[in-house]
Amino acid sequence: MKTVTITASKSYDVIVAPGIRNQISAYLSAISPKSTAVIVSDSNVWPLYGADMECNLRASGITTIHYVLPAGEASKNANTYLSILNFLAENHITRSDILIALGGGVVGDITGFAAATYLRGIPYVQVPTSLLAMVDSSVGGKTAIDLPSGKNLVGAFYQPSLVLCDTQMLDSLPDEIFRDGCGEVIKYGVLYDRELFMHLLDRGIQFDRETVISRCIELKRNVVADDEFDRGPRQMLNLGHTIGHGIELHSNFMISHGKAVALGMVIVSKAGSRLSICSQEARNSIMEAVKKFGLPTRTSINAHALYEAMLVDKKRSGNTINLIIPEEIGRCAICPTQIDNLKSFIEAGL
Ligand code: GLY
């Protein structure tokens, strides 16, 4: 078992261990005694783990109710969000109760945002079930829903009270979804940790789960401690994301997040190497790692379409957008880029 303590506006533990979900009652009793636990999950995850979790909590005397949303990014919208809030209100949930996000990134983000805003804030726990959610979205307090014009355009910074990463749950993930999360794992190696990157390149999908997941969380902990509200160094975590979000949006979310981030990393490293920012070695290694994990290295989307999709990025500031460009494996730079130069940058990376 590995524990990483996040220190931000609220301190909390992220616990990484196989089977840790079965100890949720003990953790919950310590955080929020006598509360009703509202489990929010989705139609894929609930049938696998929902009943077990409810039994576990009820056996310890914790009252539970649950809300299950349709699986998929399309659910992360204002209607589902309002429906969760109404569900909480109709069930007389108060600030002394607690939400549990049992699912991947969509469930974690929307549950976190409901927790941040219902009654101006009630506690919540993340139980991420996907690799992507374990290493990224469940940690650090970014909560959000999508608007038709873009991903995560409405949200709040609101830290959970606890994150339980049960690595056993990864066994139930379809191979494609597991690989999708690998896009984020590779990202941490490219950003901060050459040793982690080399382990991934060497072992591919057979990487050591507990070690790699907890290492990614430690790396994220360092960033969140430095810049909880994303005004400076936290922007580094957007490596591959600015272009990736454009790819996701243009494909109407048919291209998944991890694939889009992997493609985004390939595109920025290729363009960065043409501008002599990214070394040849880094560019080639990123390409090799993305291929090794079965993630895409090419897209049929053209530069103009990608550029248009990127203009709604929430991190755009006036006429400038900050692109994160690898220099070497383990070191990246924040490069403010004029919108006028963005299209030619993308062209250089495709
Ligand atoms: N997912 C990027 C961040 O948490 O800042």
Side-chain angles (χ1 to χ4, degrees):
M1 178 166 111
K2 299 219 157 76
T3 302
V4 182
T5 302
I6 310 290
T7 315
S9 48
K10 175 196 261 173
S11 283
Y12 55 97
D13 287 341
V14 182
I15 299 165
V16 184
I20 193 71
R21 70 182 185 282
N22 299 318
Q23 292 176 42
I24 191 164
S25 303
Y27 285 106
L28 224 58
S29 305
I31 300 169
S32 193
K34 298 204 174 69
S35 62
T36 292
V38 183
I39 307 173
V40 180
S41 191
D42 74 22
S43 53
N44 285 342
V45 173
W46 180 259
L48 296 175
Y49 300 111
D52 263 12
M53 185 167 281
E54 278 205 316
C55 276
N56 184 316
L57 292 165
R58 286 178 184 171
S60 302
I62 298 169
T63 305
T64 69
I65 55 172
H66 63 266
Y67 181 100
V68 179
L69 48 98
E73 185 75 30
S75 287
K76 208 174 103 178
N77 61 33
N79 288 339
T80 316
Y81 163 70
L82 279 180
S83 159
I84 295 173
L85 296 187
N86 282 321
F87 178 78
L88 300 177
E90 282 156 13
N91 284 283
H92 312 293
I93 294 304
T94 70
R95 280 186 185 152
S96 60
D97 297 318
I98 192 158
L99 302 193
I100 300 173
L102 173 66
V106 168
V107 167
D109 283 5
I110 198 166
T111 306
F113 187 47
T117 47
Y118 179 69
L119 304 181
R120 300 199 181 93
I122 70 169
Y124 75 112
V125 169
Q126 293 269 16
V127 185
T129 55
S130 69
L131 177 60
L132 190 148
M134 288 184 192
V135 297
D136 190 47
S137 57
S138 68
V139 177
K142 278 193 181 174
T143 73
I145 56 171
D146 302 334
L147 292 181
S149 40
K151 265 187 75 137
N152 299 333
L153 292 185
V154 180
F157 291 95
Y158 190 66
Q159 303 293 339
S161 300
L162 172 75
V163 184
L164 296 180
C165 295
D166 185 341
T167 48
Q168 222 170 50
M169 289 167 120
L170 297 173
D171 294 338
S172 62
L173 279 185
D175 181 66
E176 205 188 343
I177 309 288
F178 183 78
R179 282 177 196 273
D180 202 52
C182 295
E184 292 284 351
V185 173
I186 296 168
K187 178 190 87 175
Y188 283 102
V190 176
L191 278 173
Y192 304 115
D193 191 337
R194 189 177 177 88
E195 200 183 317
L196 168 66
F197 185 88
M198 290 306 168
H199 174 78
L200 296 171
L201 211 48
D202 181 41
R203 300 276 285 272
I205 203 151
Q206 302 301 337
F207 63 80
D208 178 334
R209 287 184 181 176
E210 211 173 312
T211 306
V212 165
I213 291 169
S214 52
R215 181 63 187 142
C216 292
I217 295 166
E218 280 170 0
L219 292 166
K220 183 152 187 182
R221 168 204 58 199
N222 300 344
V223 181
V224 171
D226 254 19
D227 179 24
E228 179 178 358
F229 299 108
D230 208 8
R231 303 216 168 89
R234 188 166 180 170
Q235 290 176 42
M236 286 283 192
L237 297 179
N238 290 322
L239 170 63
H241 282 63
T242 309
I243 291 180
H245 282 166
I247 293 170
E248 282 182 278
L249 187 62
H250 182 271
S251 74
N252 210 12
F253 299 102
M254 297 310 288
I255 299 178
S256 60
H257 183 72
K259 283 183 180 159
V261 167
L263 258 170
M265 284 191 288
V266 167
I267 293 170
V268 284
S269 57
K270 198 167 158 197
S273 113
R274 294 226 158 116
L275 293 169
S276 305
I277 300 171
C278 178
S279 73
Q280 292 281 344
E281 192 254 347
R283 187 191 83 168
N284 294 339
S285 304
I286 291 168
M287 180 76 96
E288 194 186 336
V290 168
K291 271 193 191 144
K292 179 139 192 168
F293 281 86
L295 294 165
T297 54
R298 297 198 72 81
T299 174
S300 57
I301 305 172
N302 67 41
H304 179 74
L306 199 45
Y307 165 81
E308 292 283 328
M310 284 170 67
L311 291 182
V312 294
D313 195 287
K314 65 184 172 309
K315 291 182 193 74
R316 176 177 160 194
S317 162
N319 275 332
T320 307
I321 198 157
N322 284 345
L323 295 175
I324 313 305
I325 305 183
E327 295 174 330
E328 297 292 346
I329 297 300
R331 194 182 78 223
C332 295
I334 300 179
C335 300
T337 305
Q338 290 295 311
I339 294 295
D340 291 348
N341 298 332
L342 189 58
K343 205 193 295 183
S344 57
F345 181 89
I346 300 167
E347 266 160 4
L350 287 176

